[in-house]
Amino acid sequence: MDLKSELLKSVWYAFTSLDVEQSGKVSKSQLKVLSHNLYTVLNIPHDPVALEEHFKDNNNGPVSSHGYMPYLNKYILAKVIDGTFNKEIFDELCWTMSSKKNCKPSVQQGLCSQRDCFKLFCLFNLLSEDRYPLVIIQPELEYLLKKISSAMSLEWDSTLLEELLSKNVDLQDGVSVWEFLEHLSAGQLLHVESKEAFSLAVDEVFMEMYHSIIKKGYLVKKGHVRRNWQERWFVLKPGSLIYYVAEDQKEKKGEILLEESSVVESVPDKEGRRCLFCVKTSVRTYEMSASNLKQRVDWMQAIQMAFRLRAEGKSSLHQDLKLSRRKQRETLQRSQSNQSTHNESSAVEASQHSAPEQQGETESLEQHIESIIQKQREVEAKCKEEEKQEHEKQQAIQRDLEKQLEEAKEANEKMTMTLTEMEKEVQQHKKRINELELTQVKLEEALNTQIHARLEEDRARQELERQLAEEQKKLADLLLLQQQMQTASVRVQVEPQINDDTSVEAAPISQHAEESSQQNTVEPLISETTFASTPPNVQQPEESHQYTTERELENQSSTQMMKHWKIQLNRLMKPIAPGDKAEHLPVKSGCPRKGHALTSTEFISKVQTGTASPPQQQEE
């Protein structure tokens, strides 16, 4: 059935709701309102003058439906473009206009809500016959009730429908949508345990049949940019495979357009993923993972069916199934009519024979009819047996699926427990890492402290080395000064002062006193020099300042001693020789004098001569 025929069914309900008197005629003002609404929901440019021009000769009276149909086909239905409007909104407009008049209040007070009634209205139009007034025949009604029962996970009981049809003979030719809603809401067609479960089942069947959804469910898809795996809710239609963030379908993430050149293939397991398959299009390749092998096979078969429908130019799977069921019924009716025609022809031929022959042939015909009836019963019994076997097979499959579902739940629980344990281990590892990082920070701080201490020690050592170098320099200067002083003492020794002649006799005594005083003077100087030559302890930096102060005081005292010593040396009469402290050299009377003192040359030669002679001769 094409789009125009589907739209015309809903428009027929809206038109008949405006026919209050049921005369088949509607006023022009009402048709204007209906046309304007149809223009709006079908997204067609509105032409307000077209209706006036079409019925310009009939301004005073009502307009018949036959007169409105040419206008509807020419100006509205002929301009409809598939995909430019929302068909659900269009059907909802027609339902709103017709339900206020025809739908009884008891319907909404029973099993069906207002929204459920609208969805059942759309499903009824999808399965109804293409003749007016619109009705649904028994096979199609059974098909719809079975779908709703299967969605509620219940087994459909045909006894309710058979009882209803047996009580109402008028319903055997077809059931209208208002009668269908009334009996269904009263619970005369289905055994319903929960009203909420019934609403969910109706919504599921509505999404599958009305929106042409071949299959829907969760799959894990590999990203195109980030290349990570994300769980998405997929909805398969004949022309596309749409995926959303969640089952509520509020946030659409993308759409895979199924082209004639598209291919679906299975993929070997990789990256820790199993049950992989891919959909190859001219744009890119989409990789997906199913929950188990059965789901992968079901999805691949459903996608291949979508490819077939797309290649055949069909937009709905259930429309195709409806046409195939209709063809089967027509074939069965033709075979039954041919069989009845054959029986009638054989009966006419038998009437032309004689009475005994006719009676025998009649008996044989009755036997033949009975055999046909028997065969028909056998066929029906065989069909029932096949249905029973099929039902048992379906139940076995359902049990297997339930078992697989339980196994999947157990695996999911185990996986959840494993993930929980892994999360605990991760938390412990994170805690350990934090502790190690804290320890590392503390060790780094301790290392920095040690480095600073080592640098301070290096600076202190350098300072001590610098002070030691200065002390060594001072020691070297002091030694140099001592050498200079010794040199000066030697020079002073060769220049004694001789006051007069009487002082010569007292020279041994004065010389001995002066030697002792000079010895007492030199000994502190030597001790000071020895003390100065001894370097301070380098390992004791706290005594360096005190040591420096003492050295400065000693230098001052040594300077004063040097001055005093120079004064004493100037007063010496005789130089001091080593090992000659106790003995005094005699002074010869024959020593020449020049004034009051000897010259330095004379003094040295005399001293050397006196030293060389033995002490006995000097005493003599």
Side-chain angles (χ1 to χ4, degrees):
M1 185 173 61
D2 57 354
L3 179 62
K4 180 179 177 181
S5 301
E6 293 180 7
L7 297 177
L8 192 58
K9 287 183 177 182
S10 299
V11 174
W12 178 81
Y13 284 106
F15 184 85
T16 53
S17 65
L18 298 176
D19 186 10
V20 181
E21 299 178 356
Q22 297 182 356
S23 60
K25 295 182 180 181
V26 180
S27 64
K28 186 185 292 186
S29 60
Q30 291 178 328
L31 289 178
K32 288 180 180 179
V33 175
L34 176 61
S35 301
H36 180 76
N37 291 329
L38 294 178
Y39 277 123
T40 302
V41 296
L42 293 174
N43 198 16
I44 300 173
H46 183 53
D47 188 2
V49 186
L51 187 62
E52 296 291 341
E53 293 181 353
H54 187 75
F55 299 105
K56 60 183 178 180
D57 296 335
N58 193 9
N59 293 329
N60 297 325
V63 180
S64 65
S65 60
H66 299 286
Y68 183 66
M69 281 302 299
Y71 171 82
L72 181 65
N73 291 325
K74 180 178 179 182
Y75 294 99
I76 298 179
L77 299 179
K79 297 180 180 180
V80 173
I81 301 175
D82 190 11
T84 59
F85 67 98
N86 191 338
K87 188 175 182 299
E88 185 174 350
I89 297 177
F90 170 79
D91 288 334
E92 190 172 3
L93 170 67
C94 299
W95 160 257
T96 304
M97 295 178 63
S98 58
S99 62
K100 292 181 180 179
K101 175 184 175 182
N102 299 300
C103 190
K104 295 181 180 180
S106 60
V107 174
Q108 299 180 9
Q109 296 176 0
L111 185 62
C112 302
S113 63
Q114 178 70 19
R115 189 64 184 172
D116 294 337
C117 291
F118 166 68
K119 294 176 182 178
L120 292 171
F121 167 80
C122 297
L123 296 175
F124 182 92
N125 292 339
L126 181 66
L127 299 176
S128 62
E129 297 297 308
D130 299 335
R131 53 186 174 86
Y132 298 92
L134 293 174
V135 292
I136 185 172
I137 59 176
Q138 181 179 353
E140 297 296 330
L141 182 58
E142 291 179 356
Y143 177 78
L144 178 58
L145 295 176
K146 288 180 180 179
K147 293 289 291 185
I148 297 174
S149 299
S150 177
M152 290 189 295
S153 300
L154 297 175
E155 183 180 357
W156 180 68
D157 188 5
S158 61
T159 56
L160 294 176
L161 179 60
E162 293 176 356
E163 290 178 359
L164 179 62
L165 295 178
S166 62
K167 292 179 181 178
N168 300 314
V169 183
D170 297 335
L171 299 178
Q172 294 180 359
D173 294 334
V175 182
S176 66
V177 64
W178 315 115
E179 294 172 341
F180 167 68
L181 294 176
E182 182 179 0
H183 294 299
L184 182 61
S185 183
Q188 298 177 358
L189 296 176
L190 285 176
H191 291 292
V192 179
E193 297 178 355
S194 173
K195 187 176 181 179
E196 289 76 12
F198 174 76
S199 298
L200 293 175
V202 170
D203 182 68
E204 182 178 350
V205 176
F206 175 76
M207 294 298 295
E208 178 183 350
M209 297 180 64
Y210 182 81
H211 288 284
S212 300
I213 295 176
I214 301 174
K215 188 175 179 58
K216 57 183 177 180
Y218 279 107
L219 291 173
V220 181
K221 175 184 169 295
K222 187 175 183 179
H224 180 61
V225 180
R226 296 184 180 179
R227 309 301 293 171
N228 57 344
W229 294 88
Q230 293 289 338
E231 189 178 44
R232 296 286 182 254
W233 176 260
F234 282 80
V235 176
L236 177 62
K237 294 184 178 182
S240 62
L241 180 60
I242 308 171
Y243 51 95
Y244 302 86
V245 175
E247 189 175 352
D248 54 9
Q249 301 182 11
K250 292 182 179 180
E251 185 179 354
K252 180 179 178 181
K253 296 299 292 183
E255 182 177 359
I256 304 174
L257 297 178
L258 303 180
E259 305 170 349
E260 295 181 359
S261 59
S262 300
V263 179
V264 58
E265 296 177 351
S266 59
V267 179
D269 297 345
K270 62 178 181 179
E271 299 179 11
R273 299 286 173 179
R274 52 189 297 271
C275 304
L276 297 175
F277 67 96
C278 66
V279 179
K280 296 181 180 180
T281 63
S282 59
V283 180
R284 54 172 284 202
T285 300
Y286 299 85
E287 294 185 17
M288 286 158 281
S289 173
S291 59
N292 51 47
L293 294 175
K294 183 180 182 304
Q295 285 293 326
R296 181 175 71 173
V297 172
D298 293 344
W299 272 102
M300 292 180 66
Q301 290 178 354
I303 294 173
Q304 289 175 355
M305 183 183 296
F307 290 158
R308 181 178 61 81
L309 293 174
R310 181 63 181 268
E312 294 176 358
K314 298 177 181 179
S315 60
S316 176
L317 173 63
H318 294 280
Q319 287 288 352
D320 186 25
L321 294 176
K322 176 186 174 182
L323 294 176
S324 63
R325 291 195 301 271
R326 181 178 296 178
K327 290 179 180 179
Q328 290 178 0
R329 290 196 300 269
E330 291 176 354
T331 302
L332 182 60
Q333 289 177 0
R334 283 196 299 268
S335 62
Q336 291 178 355
S337 62
N338 292 333
Q339 186 177 359
S340 61
T341 304
H342 177 70
N343 293 333
E344 291 177 356
S345 61
S346 61
V348 171
E349 291 177 356
S351 62
Q352 295 177 359
H353 294 284
S354 59
E357 293 178 356
Q358 186 175 5
Q359 185 176 2
E361 290 178 358
T362 303
E363 292 177 356
S364 62
L365 181 60
E366 290 177 356
Q367 292 177 359
H368 180 66
I369 293 173
E370 289 179 358
S371 63
I372 293 173
I373 294 173
Q374 186 66 26
K375 288 180 181 181
Q376 186 68 24
R377 289 176 180 175
E378 291 176 357
V379 171
E380 290 178 357
K382 186 178 180 180
C383 291
K384 289 182 180 180
E385 184 67 23
E386 291 177 354
E387 289 178 358
K388 185 178 179 180
Q389 293 177 358
E390 183 67 22
H391 180 65
E392 292 177 353
K393 184 178 179 181
Q394 293 294 332
Q395 286 183 345
I397 294 174
Q398 185 176 359
R399 287 192 296 269
D400 293 338
L401 292 176
E402 290 177 354
K403 185 178 180 181
Q404 292 179 4
L405 181 61
E406 291 178 357
E407 293 177 354
K409 287 181 179 179
E410 292 178 357
N412 190 12
E413 291 177 355
K414 292 181 180 179
M415 183 64 68
T416 305
M417 294 175 63
T418 305
L419 291 175
T420 305
E421 293 177 356
M422 292 177 65
E423 288 178 357
K424 290 181 180 179
E425 292 179 358
V426 168
Q427 294 297 330
Q428 292 177 358
H429 286 303
K430 286 184 178 179
K431 185 177 179 180
R432 180 60 180 167
I433 289 171
N434 293 331
E435 293 177 355
L436 293 175
E437 289 178 351
L438 183 60
T439 306
Q440 182 181 1
V441 171
K442 292 181 178 179
L443 292 175
E444 288 178 354
E445 292 177 355
L447 179 61
N448 292 330
T449 304
Q450 292 180 359
I451 291 173
H452 288 304
R454 184 63 181 272
L455 292 176
E456 291 293 334
E457 291 179 359
D458 292 341
R459 283 195 292 269
R461 189 181 72 254
Q462 291 175 2
E463 182 65 21
L464 291 175
E465 290 177 354
R466 184 184 63 78
Q467 292 179 0
L468 179 60
E470 291 178 356
E471 295 298 331
Q472 290 177 354
K473 184 178 180 182
K474 290 179 181 180
L475 178 61
D477 294 339
L478 185 59
L479 293 175
L480 181 62
L481 180 61
Q482 184 179 2
Q483 292 177 1
Q484 292 177 357
M485 289 172 62
Q486 290 177 358
T487 305
S489 67
V490 172
R491 290 179 182 179
V492 171
Q493 288 178 3
V494 297
E495 296 179 355
Q497 296 181 358
I498 303 175
N499 295 327
D500 50 9
D501 296 332
T502 58
S503 62
V504 174
E505 297 177 356
I509 301 172
S510 62
Q511 183 177 4
H512 180 73
E514 288 175 359
E515 286 176 357
S516 61
S517 63
Q518 187 176 5
Q519 183 178 0
N520 294 329
T521 305
V522 173
E523 286 178 357
L525 181 61
I526 294 172
S527 63
E528 291 174 1
T529 306
T530 305
F531 178 78
S533 63
T534 304
N537 190 5
V538 180
Q539 300 298 327
Q540 297 178 357
E542 64 272 8
E543 298 179 359
S544 63
H545 181 69
Q546 183 178 1
Y547 175 76
T548 304
T549 305
E550 292 176 357
R551 288 295 305 275
E552 290 177 356
L553 295 174
E554 290 173 0
N555 290 333
Q556 292 179 1
S557 63
S558 63
T559 304
Q560 293 177 359
M561 293 294 294
M562 288 295 295
K563 290 181 180 180
H564 179 71
W565 190 37
K566 286 181 180 181
I567 295 172
Q568 295 293 331
L569 287 176
N570 291 329
R571 294 178 182 178
L572 288 176
M573 299 300 294
K574 181 180 178 180
I576 300 173
D580 195 16
K581 294 182 180 180
E583 298 180 357
H584 299 279
L585 295 177
V587 181
K588 293 181 178 181
S589 59
C591 183
R593 292 175 178 268
K594 291 183 179 181
H596 296 285
L598 295 176
T599 62
S600 59
T601 307
E602 293 174 349
F603 180 79
I604 293 171
S605 61
K606 184 178 180 178
V607 169
Q608 291 178 352
T609 303
T611 306
S613 62
Q616 292 83 4
Q617 294 178 1
Q618 290 178 359
E619 291 178 357
E620 293 177 357

